[in-house]
């Protein structure tokens, strides 16, 4: 695993953040040092999935990166006949995902796919994961994707949606931003790295309020939407069809 040093040196031009090879190489270190509770999220996705997975159904990990959620599900999967589809549109991410799947001897259960999640077919799904992925889609594409997920899901299925949200209460929003900056400083990111990364990601990661996410999930056909995890601005929802 490479250390994330992408924004360590002063940059003349800060380009929009993208999931290229440099980011993929540093991804595991980056996500651990940047997302409060990431390991807790991954550790719990498998056990939550195992409650909803049914034999002879599909599970989708959309925007899978290196497949951490897929592997967590694989390790808890109660049915051999479940196929986990790990999908990402970054070639570098999928390459490393495939490597880790084969290292875990999970190739017969996890099918990795280089594709845009807007273009894939979703059917006979008992469980779907969007762990920190929807936030990278333009807002006007989000309803259509979630509707496709709800329509391709069996009646007792569920979705985990994890997002960095924006708080509607401005003082709390400011406080959580400040605490997130402190979290990154405590994880050895310099002020320069933090500010350059913030600039690179500001037009790429588009946050919405918790209420927007909850309402959209209800609108597309989920009957129960519960928060199961929150740390600062990072929230994970369990939406049951
Ligand atoms: C994890 N879920 O470790 N189609 C496919 N993939 C996409 C798209 C798209 N349209 N847009 C973005 N991605 C992972 C972490 S990372 C979150 C998810 C982060 C992919 C993108 O290539 C990247 O791998 C992933 O979504 C977001 O549980 O880096 O903050």
């Amino acid at each position: 695993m490479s250390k994330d040093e992408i924004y360590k040196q002063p940059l003349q031009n800060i380009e929009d953040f993208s999931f290229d090879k440099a980011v993929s190489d540093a991804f595991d270190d980056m996500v651990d040092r940047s997302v409060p509770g990431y390991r807790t999220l991954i550790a719990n996705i498998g056990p939550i999935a195992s409650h909803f997975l049914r034999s002879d159904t599909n599970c989708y990990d959309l925007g899978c990166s290196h497949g951490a959620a897929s592997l967590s599900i694989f390790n808890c999967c109660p049915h051999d006949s479940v196929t986990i589809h790990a999908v990402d549109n970054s070639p570098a991410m999928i390459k490393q995902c495939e490597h880790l799947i084969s290292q875990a001897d999970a190739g017969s259960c996890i099918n990795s796919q280089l594709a845009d999640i807007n273009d894939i077919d979703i059917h006979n799904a008992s469980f779907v994961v969007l762990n920190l992925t929807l936030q990278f889609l333009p807002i006007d594409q989000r309803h259509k994707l979630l509707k496709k997920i709800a329509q391709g899901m069996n009646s007792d299925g569920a979705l985990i949606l994890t997002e960095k949200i924006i708080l509607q209460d401005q003082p709390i929003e400011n406080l959580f931003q400040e605490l997130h900056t402190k979290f990154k400083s405590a994880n050895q990111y310099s002020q320069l790295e933090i500010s350059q990364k913030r600039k690179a990601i500001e037009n790429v990661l588009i946050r919405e309020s918790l209420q927007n996410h909850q309402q959209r999930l209800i609108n597309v056909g989920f009957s129960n939407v519960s928060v199961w995890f929150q740390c600062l601005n990072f929230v994970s929802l369990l939406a049951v069809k």
Side-chain angles (χ1 to χ4, degrees):
M1 170 169 89
S2 308
K3 190 166 157 61
D4 174 19
E5 297 187 329
I6 293 172
Y7 297 101
K8 204 173 172 77
Q9 303 305 328
L11 298 168
Q12 292 283 15
N13 287 317
I14 300 176
E15 289 175 11
D16 277 354
F17 186 83
S18 72
F19 293 97
D20 56 16
K21 180 159 184 328
V23 167
S24 176
D25 287 348
F27 177 76
D28 300 285
D29 180 59
M30 176 186 292
V31 75
D32 272 342
R33 290 163 66 210
S34 309
V35 177
Y38 175 75
R39 289 291 144 196
T40 302
L41 285 162
I42 294 299
N44 281 281
I45 286 173
I48 295 171
S50 72
H51 181 83
F52 293 97
L53 290 172
R54 298 286 178 270
S55 55
D56 300 308
T57 64
N58 293 311
C59 171
Y60 295 86
D61 177 8
L62 304 177
C64 62
S65 299
H66 291 175
S70 291
L71 288 166
S72 174
I73 295 168
F74 169 75
N75 287 326
C76 295
C77 186
H79 306 287
D80 291 345
S81 57
V82 170
T83 303
I84 303 170
H85 301 271
V87 185
D88 205 290
N89 65 354
S90 158
M93 289 290 194
I94 283 293
K95 192 166 177 226
Q96 178 63 2
C97 182
E98 278 169 0
H99 171 69
L100 294 173
I101 290 168
S102 97
Q103 242 185 15
D105 208 8
S108 58
C109 190
I110 308 177
N111 162 32
S112 67
Q113 194 182 339
L114 176 65
D116 190 313
I117 55 177
N118 292 303
D119 298 337
I120 63 160
D121 176 38
I122 294 191
H123 65 280
N124 186 28
S126 53
F127 199 71
V128 179
V129 179
L130 275 167
N131 194 40
L132 302 162
T133 302
L134 192 73
Q135 59 196 13
F136 293 105
L137 262 56
I139 290 185
D140 61 5
Q141 293 178 9
R142 296 178 185 182
H143 178 93
K144 191 173 169 211
L145 174 67
L146 290 169
K147 188 150 186 119
K148 176 172 78 172
I149 292 170
Q151 285 176 341
M153 185 175 275
N154 300 335
S155 55
D156 49 359
L159 164 74
I160 278 187
L161 173 65
T162 310
E163 290 279 294
K164 185 175 185 192
I165 60 158
I166 187 157
L167 277 293
Q168 284 172 328
D169 182 292
Q170 196 58 50
I172 299 295
E173 166 63 20
N174 295 345
L175 173 64
F176 283 8
Q177 292 272 25
E178 189 187 317
L179 290 169
H180 188 214
T181 301
K182 285 187 174 160
F183 172 85
K184 292 201 217 175
S185 299
N187 286 330
Q188 277 77 51
Y189 280 118
S190 67
Q191 289 311 307
L192 178 70
E193 285 178 289
I194 293 170
S195 67
Q196 293 194 132
K197 168 83 180 275
R198 186 175 296 139
K199 177 104 191 53
I201 213 154
E202 70 188 358
N203 298 321
V204 179
L205 191 168
I206 312 296
R207 295 183 294 149
E208 290 183 271
S209 68
L210 178 58
Q211 291 70 18
N212 273 14
H213 285 297
Q214 288 168 321
Q215 191 56 56
R216 188 188 286 120
L217 289 166
I218 297 292
N219 290 348
V220 300
F222 289 95
S223 62
N224 186 301
V225 180
S226 309
V227 173
W228 71 271
F229 169 94
Q230 177 160 13
C231 186
L232 306 177
N233 297 66
F234 293 84
V235 171
S236 191
L237 298 168
L238 176 67
V240 181
K241 189 163 169 192

